[in-house]
Amino acid sequence: MWEPTMAGVLRLPSGRLVRGRGLRRPLPEGPAPTFALYLLGHEPPPVTWETRWLRWPDFWLPSDRTATGDALREAWVRAEVERVEIACGGGYGRTGTALACLAVLDGVPGHEAVAYVRQHYARRAVETPWQRRFVSRFQ
């Protein structure tokens, strides 16, 4: 599991820990993830841990919403016992949106999830109005 004091680690209300990060920055110190969900407009570079890639252009919404819902549910389930990482280029917009959706899965009401992630992960999380709307409608 991640340590709740590690930079970029979000503690969900259930106690699940998920690390969010920007792939343009160096890999943080500490253990590697066991599973990562990468949210990029292009395929991510290979890593040694298990990954899933969602085509999600910067500042926009995911290309396949059904696949996104499935991937986020998988990440949420796996975060109960594994080190799960969610990452995009900068670590704020797409990553924050995905983390807010995990918060919804964890029981945070959709209209409160963005504020939850901004308070517990990063103030800049979820960058656009359509990303906020995506979270509020996520189930």
Side-chain angles (χ1 to χ4, degrees):
M1 294 297 278
W2 300 116
E3 293 294 323
T5 57
M6 294 173 69
V9 174
L10 171 68
R11 179 186 291 276
L12 294 167
S14 66
R16 287 174 168 89
L17 301 172
V18 180
R19 181 171 76 186
R21 77 175 178 105
L23 294 171
R24 290 192 292 264
R25 291 190 292 279
L27 186 66
E29 290 189 25
T34 53
F35 175 75
L37 183 56
Y38 294 133
L39 317 169
L40 298 166
H42 56 84
E43 193 167 350
V47 291
T48 58
W49 48 88
E50 185 181 353
T51 66
R52 189 162 176 185
W53 167 52
L54 293 174
R55 185 178 302 278
W56 191 332
D58 201 8
F59 296 106
W60 293 100
L61 296 174
S63 299
D64 183 334
R65 296 190 188 188
T66 300
T68 300
D70 293 344
L72 291 170
R73 284 176 188 81
E74 178 184 3
W76 179 77
V77 167
R78 293 177 78 151
E80 188 169 15
V81 294
E82 295 181 52
R83 288 186 309 275
V84 172
E85 172 177 87
I86 307 261
C88 64
Y92 297 106
R94 294 166 286 182
T95 296
T97 302
L99 291 173
C101 290
L102 293 185
V104 169
L105 291 173
D106 211 60
V108 176
H111 66 279
E112 296 175 13
V114 171
Y116 182 88
V117 170
R118 286 179 175 170
Q119 180 181 359
H120 298 283
Y121 169 68
R123 288 189 328 233
R124 293 175 43 202
V126 191
E127 295 173 312
T128 67
W130 40 92
Q131 289 172 341
R132 287 191 298 276
R133 190 169 39 252
F134 182 81
V135 171
S136 70
R137 296 177 177 171
F138 185 78
Q139 297 180 18

